[in-house]
Amino acid sequence: MLSFEENQKKTGSGGTQEAAVTKLPRDSETKENQAAGRRLTWWKILLTAAVFVLLLCGLDLALYPCTFMRNDIHAISTTQYDDIIVGTSHGKMGIDPDSMEGITGRSAHNACVGGEYAIDVYYMTRLAIEKQNPTRIIYEVSPGYIVTEKEEGNNYLLFYHEFPLSLAKVEYFFDAIAETNFRTLLFPWYEYSLSYELPMVAETLTRKLTGDYSVESLKSDSQEYHESGFIERYPVDTSTLQLSEDTAVFTESAVVDENMEYIEKTIDLCAENEIEFVAVITPIPAAALGTWWDNYMEAYDYLESFFAEKGVACLNFNTDYYFEFSHEIEDYTDYDGHMNGDAAREFSKVLANLL
């Protein structure tokens, strides 16, 4: 017979074992509930992120305007051209591919625009090579873009935003875009005036969803965009024009190294792919050239020496080729050198013959 104490121990031991047995399922159930809770949390996070991304994409689709750069990037990434013209607004409004083609017999597209820096030119050239097979890059070079840095604003995404999915776009992102204000990436439309763009939402959505790249809407009272990428500026009353003090700001000490590095990279890229590279410096009115003669001559000496060292042609219409085209203000719309449409077509013929 067991003693009272032994009986209590046995009973207590049995009770403990029973408790342990009944406790295990509860621990397992708790762990399963916790795991389910974590999975639910992750699904909520993923769903929230997906909704956020869809919202941003929708706003981008509706509010980011259909710029002419949308047409340009689409053209150079989907159509085979012999010549692709890159550079600044001087090239955009001074070089007409249609006028050139009538002489050279070579197809061309003008992808110049104000705010297009050397880094943009490099990646646009990369894109063109990746998607098509151009045989010549014509680079219109403006001295002012050598001594200034690319600024944040709607022009910062003007080119990158329109790039199709490509290796060039990925590298472009890390080289130029990733370091900008985060709003530039998440809210690309924020630099545009909503009061201006809101009435355009329906048209913008329609054009993007239908793949409409027509040019009818890319026209204003002062200029119009052509399918070739050329922007024709209408003549102005030149008697009202005034010289601006900041027309020429070049000094060699102010050269931004990154700008020259990317011009050099573009030249090397063309050489690697057996693509001809030609630099062009468009003419400017004689009054502006004479007023800031020292600045301009310093700029031209620097650029011509650079291109000579790289072994590529440089057609400078303010020095060696000065007498090939007019420098009268009547052929321009400002003293900075933006030509009117008729002058641009004539200049393009001159350029085509030299090329």
Side-chain angles (χ1 to χ4, degrees):
M1 178 178 291
L2 296 174
S3 66
F4 178 80
E5 290 80 1
E6 290 173 332
N7 188 55
Q8 285 295 96
K9 289 179 180 179
K10 183 176 180 181
T11 305
S13 176
T16 303
Q17 290 175 356
E18 183 179 354
V21 171
T22 57
K23 187 177 181 181
L24 286 173
R26 292 176 184 174
D27 288 345
S28 177
E29 182 179 347
T30 300
K31 290 179 180 178
E32 288 180 4
N33 289 338
Q34 290 174 343
R38 285 193 293 269
R39 287 194 295 269
L40 181 60
T41 299
W42 278 110
W43 276 113
K44 288 180 179 178
I45 292 173
L46 291 174
L47 181 60
T48 301
V51 171
F52 184 67
V53 169
L54 287 173
L55 179 62
L56 290 181
C57 291
L59 289 171
D60 180 49
L61 194 67
L63 298 181
Y64 193 94
C66 292
T67 65
F68 56 78
M69 187 48 61
R70 172 176 176 265
N71 290 54
D72 288 340
I73 296 298
H74 176 74
I76 67 173
S77 60
T78 61
T79 305
Q80 174 65 47
Y81 293 104
D82 297 315
D83 297 340
I84 293 180
I85 306 157
V86 290
T88 72
S89 56
H90 294 88
K92 193 68 168 177
M93 298 163 187
I95 303 177
D96 174 27
D98 291 338
S99 297
M100 292 178 63
E101 186 174 357
I103 293 174
T104 64
R106 297 167 61 91
S107 60
H109 189 87
N110 187 333
C112 299
V113 67
E116 187 173 296
Y117 278 78
I119 189 171
D120 307 310
V121 167
Y122 172 73
Y123 280 104
M124 289 172 70
T125 304
R126 283 278 307 274
L127 178 67
I129 293 173
E130 183 178 341
K131 297 294 186 179
Q132 303 298 321
N133 187 32
T135 57
R136 179 164 58 192
I137 296 294
I138 301 171
Y139 191 170
E140 180 273 312
V141 186
S142 178
Y145 282 78
I146 304 302
V147 295
T148 55
E149 296 182 357
K150 190 172 175 67
E151 298 178 353
E152 290 186 30
N154 53 26
N155 263 8
Y156 214 101
L157 283 182
L158 185 63
F159 319 98
Y160 175 82
H161 184 273
E162 307 302 345
F163 267 46
L165 184 61
S166 58
L167 181 60
K169 183 164 188 168
V170 174
E171 294 189 20
Y172 193 6
F173 171 81
F174 287 106
D175 274 2
I177 308 301
E179 298 179 359
T180 63
N181 187 314
F182 77 96
R183 291 175 298 175
T184 305
L185 301 174
L186 297 178
F187 313 107
W189 65 89
Y190 86 101
E191 288 286 352
Y192 292 90
S193 170
L194 292 182
S195 62
Y196 170 77
E197 295 302 334
L198 282 177
M200 300 285 292
V201 167
E203 180 183 343
T204 298
L205 280 172
T206 300
R207 292 189 64 187
K208 289 181 179 179
L209 293 175
T210 60
D212 180 5
Y213 290 91
S214 58
V215 301
E216 286 76 12
S217 62
L218 300 175
K219 183 177 180 179
S220 69
D221 293 337
S222 60
Q223 62 185 36
E224 64 178 288
Y225 173 89
H226 294 265
E227 289 184 357
S228 64
F230 167 57
I231 287 185
E232 176 184 358
R233 268 198 173 178
Y234 304 140
V236 300
D237 181 2
T238 57
S239 65
T240 64
L241 298 178
Q242 295 182 345
L243 281 166
S244 172
E245 293 184 2
D246 61 352
T247 297
V249 293
F250 186 95
T251 60
E252 187 170 342
S253 60
V255 170
V256 177
D257 291 338
E258 182 184 66
N259 294 330
M260 300 309 299
E261 289 170 4
Y262 273 99
I263 293 178
E264 187 170 1
K265 288 181 70 172
T266 303
I267 294 172
D268 293 342
L269 178 65
C270 289
E272 292 168 7
N273 290 274
E274 299 182 343
I275 297 172
E276 181 184 3
F277 180 99
V278 179
V280 175
I281 299 176
T282 57
I284 61 173
L289 188 62
T291 302
W292 291 286
W293 178 264
D294 291 341
N295 288 103
Y296 278 121
M297 290 306 107
E298 185 175 357
Y300 298 151
D301 286 344
Y302 177 85
L303 289 171
E304 288 173 0
S305 296
F306 170 81
F307 289 120
E309 289 176 5
K310 295 298 296 180
V312 297
C314 178
L315 306 180
N316 189 342
F317 288 87
N318 298 305
T319 56
D320 294 344
Y321 298 94
Y322 182 91
F323 294 104
E324 296 293 334
F325 190 73
S326 168
H327 292 261
E328 299 298 323
I329 188 59
E330 288 74 20
D331 290 314
Y332 299 83
T333 60
D334 54 36
Y335 280 100
D336 196 37
H338 297 98
M339 301 177 196
N340 62 50
D342 291 338
R345 281 182 276 269
E346 290 304 312
F347 171 72
S348 298
K349 294 175 184 177
V350 171
L351 175 60
N353 277 307
L354 289 171
L355 291 172

